[in-house]
PDB file of all heavy atoms in Angstrom:
ATOM      1  N   ILE A   3      38.728   8.466  -1.683  1.00 74.00           N
ATOM      2  CA  ILE A   3      38.952   7.028  -1.524  1.00 74.00           C
ATOM      3  C   ILE A   3      38.862   6.659  -0.048  1.00 74.00           C
ATOM      4  O   ILE A   3      39.544   7.257   0.806  1.00 74.00           O
ATOM      5  CB  ILE A   3      40.318   6.615  -2.108  1.00 74.00           C
ATOM      6  CG1 ILE A   3      40.290   6.901  -3.617  1.00 74.00           C
ATOM      7  CG2 ILE A   3      40.611   5.150  -1.827  1.00 74.00           C
ATOM      8  CD1 ILE A   3      41.560   6.610  -4.335  1.00 74.00           C
ATOM      9  N   GLN A   8      42.166  -0.630   7.695  1.00 82.00           N
ATOM     10  CA  GLN A   8      41.855  -0.830   9.115  1.00 82.00           C
ATOM     11  C   GLN A   8      40.391  -0.458   9.351  1.00 82.00           C
ATOM     12  O   GLN A   8      39.779   0.226   8.524  1.00 82.00           O
ATOM     13  CB  GLN A   8      42.779   0.012   9.994  1.00 82.00           C
ATOM     14  CG  GLN A   8      42.782   1.470   9.628  1.00 82.00           C
ATOM     15  CD  GLN A   8      43.856   2.236  10.405  1.00 82.00           C
ATOM     16  OE1 GLN A   8      44.431   1.730  11.356  1.00 82.00           O
ATOM     17  NE2 GLN A   8      44.119   3.445  10.008  1.00 82.00           N
ATOM     18  N   PRO A  10      36.927   1.339  10.458  1.00 76.00           N
ATOM     19  CA  PRO A  10      36.627   2.772  10.567  1.00 76.00           C
ATOM     20  C   PRO A  10      36.630   3.222  12.032  1.00 76.00           C
ATOM     21  O   PRO A  10      36.342   2.418  12.924  1.00 76.00           O
ATOM     22  CB  PRO A  10      35.222   2.886   9.973  1.00 76.00           C
ATOM     23  CG  PRO A  10      34.651   1.513  10.036  1.00 76.00           C
ATOM     24  CD  PRO A  10      35.790   0.555   9.988  1.00 76.00           C
ATOM     25  N   ALA A  41       5.904   1.376   2.121  1.00 97.00           N
ATOM     26  CA  ALA A  41       4.546   1.272   2.675  1.00 97.00           C
ATOM     27  C   ALA A  41       4.416   0.028   3.559  1.00 97.00           C
ATOM     28  O   ALA A  41       3.818   0.083   4.650  1.00 97.00           O
ATOM     29  CB  ALA A  41       3.525   1.224   1.540  1.00 97.00           C
ATOM     30  N   LEU A  74       7.209 -11.535   5.638  1.00 87.00           N
ATOM     31  CA  LEU A  74       6.564 -11.070   6.868  1.00 87.00           C
ATOM     32  C   LEU A  74       6.505 -12.167   7.916  1.00 87.00           C
ATOM     33  O   LEU A  74       6.149 -13.303   7.614  1.00 87.00           O
ATOM     34  CB  LEU A  74       5.132 -10.589   6.572  1.00 87.00           C
ATOM     35  CG  LEU A  74       4.985  -9.469   5.548  1.00 87.00           C
ATOM     36  CD1 LEU A  74       3.547  -8.995   5.512  1.00 87.00           C
ATOM     37  CD2 LEU A  74       5.921  -8.318   5.866  1.00 87.00           C
ATOM     38  N   ALA A  81      -5.060 -14.317  -1.342  1.00 98.00           N
ATOM     39  CA  ALA A  81      -6.393 -14.242  -1.959  1.00 98.00           C
ATOM     40  C   ALA A  81      -6.284 -14.306  -3.478  1.00 98.00           C
ATOM     41  O   ALA A  81      -5.232 -14.029  -4.043  1.00 98.00           O
ATOM     42  CB  ALA A  81      -7.071 -12.932  -1.552  1.00 98.00           C
ATOM     43  N   ARG A  85     -10.048 -10.322  -4.285  1.00 98.00           N
ATOM     44  CA  ARG A  85     -10.952 -10.954  -3.310  1.00 98.00           C
ATOM     45  C   ARG A  85     -10.471 -10.827  -1.867  1.00 98.00           C
ATOM     46  O   ARG A  85     -11.105 -11.365  -0.960  1.00 98.00           O
ATOM     47  CB  ARG A  85     -11.146 -12.440  -3.631  1.00 98.00           C
ATOM     48  CG  ARG A  85     -11.520 -12.730  -5.077  1.00 98.00           C
ATOM     49  CD  ARG A  85     -12.830 -12.065  -5.490  1.00 98.00           C
ATOM     50  NE  ARG A  85     -13.149 -12.320  -6.880  1.00 98.00           N
ATOM     51  CZ  ARG A  85     -13.346 -11.373  -7.811  1.00 98.00           C
ATOM     52  NH1 ARG A  85     -13.258 -10.096  -7.493  1.00 98.00           N
ATOM     53  NH2 ARG A  85     -13.644 -11.698  -9.043  1.00 98.00           N
ATOM     54  N   PHE A 101      -6.580  -9.955  14.441  1.00 98.00           N
ATOM     55  CA  PHE A 101      -6.387  -8.629  13.864  1.00 98.00           C
ATOM     56  C   PHE A 101      -6.097  -8.871  12.383  1.00 98.00           C
ATOM     57  O   PHE A 101      -5.134  -9.556  12.038  1.00 98.00           O
ATOM     58  CB  PHE A 101      -5.214  -7.933  14.558  1.00 98.00           C
ATOM     59  CG  PHE A 101      -4.861  -6.639  13.906  1.00 98.00           C
ATOM     60  CD1 PHE A 101      -5.629  -5.512  14.137  1.00 98.00           C
ATOM     61  CD2 PHE A 101      -3.789  -6.553  13.039  1.00 98.00           C
ATOM     62  CE1 PHE A 101      -5.329  -4.312  13.509  1.00 98.00           C
ATOM     63  CE2 PHE A 101      -3.490  -5.357  12.411  1.00 98.00           C
ATOM     64  CZ  PHE A 101      -4.257  -4.244  12.646  1.00 98.00           C
ATOM     65  N   ASN A 113      -9.514  -2.441 -10.286  1.00 98.00           N
ATOM     66  CA  ASN A 113      -9.885  -3.044 -11.567  1.00 98.00           C
ATOM     67  C   ASN A 113     -10.504  -4.429 -11.392  1.00 98.00           C
ATOM     68  O   ASN A 113     -11.567  -4.725 -11.915  1.00 98.00           O
ATOM     69  CB  ASN A 113      -8.659  -3.211 -12.478  1.00 98.00           C
ATOM     70  CG  ASN A 113      -8.259  -1.919 -13.137  1.00 98.00           C
ATOM     71  OD1 ASN A 113      -7.719  -1.049 -12.474  1.00 98.00           O
ATOM     72  ND2 ASN A 113      -8.532  -1.797 -14.420  1.00 98.00           N
ATOM     73  N   HIS A 121     -18.389  -3.602  -0.903  1.00 98.00           N
ATOM     74  CA  HIS A 121     -19.352  -4.326  -0.052  1.00 98.00           C
ATOM     75  C   HIS A 121     -18.817  -4.529   1.360  1.00 98.00           C
ATOM     76  O   HIS A 121     -19.565  -4.401   2.335  1.00 98.00           O
ATOM     77  CB  HIS A 121     -19.726  -5.668  -0.684  1.00 98.00           C
ATOM     78  CG  HIS A 121     -20.691  -5.522  -1.823  1.00 98.00           C
ATOM     79  ND1 HIS A 121     -22.056  -5.454  -1.643  1.00 98.00           N
ATOM     80  CD2 HIS A 121     -20.489  -5.415  -3.153  1.00 98.00           C
ATOM     81  CE1 HIS A 121     -22.658  -5.310  -2.813  1.00 98.00           C
ATOM     82  NE2 HIS A 121     -21.727  -5.285  -3.753  1.00 98.00           N
ATOM     83  N   ALA A 124     -19.258  -1.244   3.080  1.00 98.00           N
ATOM     84  CA  ALA A 124     -20.678  -0.956   3.346  1.00 98.00           C
ATOM     85  C   ALA A 124     -21.211  -1.827   4.481  1.00 98.00           C
ATOM     86  O   ALA A 124     -22.057  -1.384   5.269  1.00 98.00           O
ATOM     87  CB  ALA A 124     -21.497  -1.165   2.079  1.00 98.00           C
ATOM     88  N   ARG A 125     -20.703  -3.048   4.575  1.00 98.00           N
ATOM     89  CA  ARG A 125     -21.148  -3.947   5.662  1.00 98.00           C
ATOM     90  C   ARG A 125     -20.503  -3.564   6.995  1.00 98.00           C
ATOM     91  O   ARG A 125     -20.899  -4.069   8.033  1.00 98.00           O
ATOM     92  CB  ARG A 125     -20.776  -5.407   5.339  1.00 98.00           C
ATOM     93  CG  ARG A 125     -21.538  -6.034   4.183  1.00 98.00           C
ATOM     94  CD  ARG A 125     -21.328  -7.564   4.163  1.00 98.00           C
ATOM     95  NE  ARG A 125     -19.930  -7.951   4.158  1.00 98.00           N
ATOM     96  CZ  ARG A 125     -19.191  -8.189   3.066  1.00 98.00           C
ATOM     97  NH1 ARG A 125     -19.732  -8.100   1.878  1.00 98.00           N
ATOM     98  NH2 ARG A 125     -17.923  -8.536   3.175  1.00 98.00           N
ATOM     99  N   VAL A 129     -12.308  -5.006   9.605  1.00 98.00           N
ATOM    100  CA  VAL A 129     -10.986  -5.324   9.063  1.00 98.00           C
ATOM    101  C   VAL A 129     -10.379  -4.035   8.509  1.00 98.00           C
ATOM    102  O   VAL A 129     -11.093  -3.042   8.336  1.00 98.00           O
ATOM    103  CB  VAL A 129     -11.068  -6.393   7.938  1.00 98.00           C
ATOM    104  CG1 VAL A 129     -11.653  -7.692   8.468  1.00 98.00           C
ATOM    105  CG2 VAL A 129     -11.885  -5.874   6.753  1.00 98.00           C
ATOM    106  N   THR A 130      -9.074  -4.078   8.232  1.00 98.00           N
ATOM    107  CA  THR A 130      -8.398  -2.905   7.657  1.00 98.00           C
ATOM    108  C   THR A 130      -7.859  -3.267   6.284  1.00 98.00           C
ATOM    109  O   THR A 130      -7.121  -4.250   6.149  1.00 98.00           O
ATOM    110  CB  THR A 130      -7.226  -2.455   8.550  1.00 98.00           C
ATOM    111  OG1 THR A 130      -7.727  -2.218   9.869  1.00 98.00           O
ATOM    112  CG2 THR A 130      -6.587  -1.194   8.004  1.00 98.00           C
ATOM    113  N   LYS A 157       1.927   1.722 -20.302  1.00 96.00           N
ATOM    114  CA  LYS A 157       2.291   0.882 -21.444  1.00 96.00           C
ATOM    115  C   LYS A 157       1.211   0.884 -22.534  1.00 96.00           C
ATOM    116  O   LYS A 157       1.511   0.752 -23.708  1.00 96.00           O
ATOM    117  CB  LYS A 157       2.572  -0.546 -20.973  1.00 96.00           C
ATOM    118  CG  LYS A 157       3.168  -1.407 -22.068  1.00 96.00           C
ATOM    119  CD  LYS A 157       3.783  -2.649 -21.509  1.00 96.00           C
ATOM    120  CE  LYS A 157       5.264  -2.466 -21.247  1.00 96.00           C
ATOM    121  NZ  LYS A 157       5.889  -3.672 -20.733  1.00 96.00           N
ATOM    122  N   ILE A 178     -15.142   5.205  -0.758  1.00 98.00           N
ATOM    123  CA  ILE A 178     -15.274   4.436   0.498  1.00 98.00           C
ATOM    124  C   ILE A 178     -15.711   5.359   1.634  1.00 98.00           C
ATOM    125  O   ILE A 178     -16.517   4.987   2.490  1.00 98.00           O
ATOM    126  CB  ILE A 178     -13.923   3.768   0.870  1.00 98.00           C
ATOM    127  CG1 ILE A 178     -13.422   2.876  -0.258  1.00 98.00           C
ATOM    128  CG2 ILE A 178     -14.030   3.011   2.193  1.00 98.00           C
ATOM    129  CD1 ILE A 178     -13.892   1.487  -0.286  1.00 98.00           C
ATOM    130  N   ALA A 195       9.953  11.826   3.328  1.00 96.00           N
ATOM    131  CA  ALA A 195      10.014  11.372   4.729  1.00 96.00           C
ATOM    132  C   ALA A 195       8.788  11.879   5.489  1.00 96.00           C
ATOM    133  O   ALA A 195       8.206  11.160   6.304  1.00 96.00           O
ATOM    134  CB  ALA A 195      11.300  11.874   5.375  1.00 96.00           C
ATOM    135  N   ALA A 211      -8.890   1.769  14.759  1.00 98.00           N
ATOM    136  CA  ALA A 211     -10.346   1.749  14.512  1.00 98.00           C
ATOM    137  C   ALA A 211     -10.851   0.300  14.502  1.00 98.00           C
ATOM    138  O   ALA A 211     -11.924  -0.005  15.031  1.00 98.00           O
ATOM    139  CB  ALA A 211     -10.670   2.436  13.191  1.00 98.00           C
ATOM    140  N   PRO A 239       9.633  10.179  -6.931  1.00 98.00           N
ATOM    141  CA  PRO A 239       8.915  10.855  -5.845  1.00 98.00           C
ATOM    142  C   PRO A 239       8.267  12.168  -6.288  1.00 98.00           C
ATOM    143  O   PRO A 239       7.118  12.461  -5.945  1.00 98.00           O
ATOM    144  CB  PRO A 239      10.010  11.084  -4.793  1.00 98.00           C
ATOM    145  CG  PRO A 239      11.007   9.996  -5.053  1.00 98.00           C
ATOM    146  CD  PRO A 239      11.015   9.855  -6.548  1.00 98.00           C
ATOM    147  N   ALA A 248      -1.820  15.012  -7.161  1.00 98.00           N
ATOM    148  CA  ALA A 248      -2.600  16.185  -7.569  1.00 98.00           C
ATOM    149  C   ALA A 248      -4.050  15.802  -7.836  1.00 98.00           C
ATOM    150  O   ALA A 248      -4.944  16.659  -7.819  1.00 98.00           O
ATOM    151  CB  ALA A 248      -1.984  16.804  -8.819  1.00 98.00           C
TER     152      ALA A 248
END
Side-chain angles (χ1 to χ4, degrees):
I3 297 178
Q8 54 188 348
L74 302 187
R85 310 300 178 238
F101 173 78
N113 282 73
H121 283 275
R125 291 193 306 268
V129 299
T130 304
K157 189 164 266 181
I178 303 273

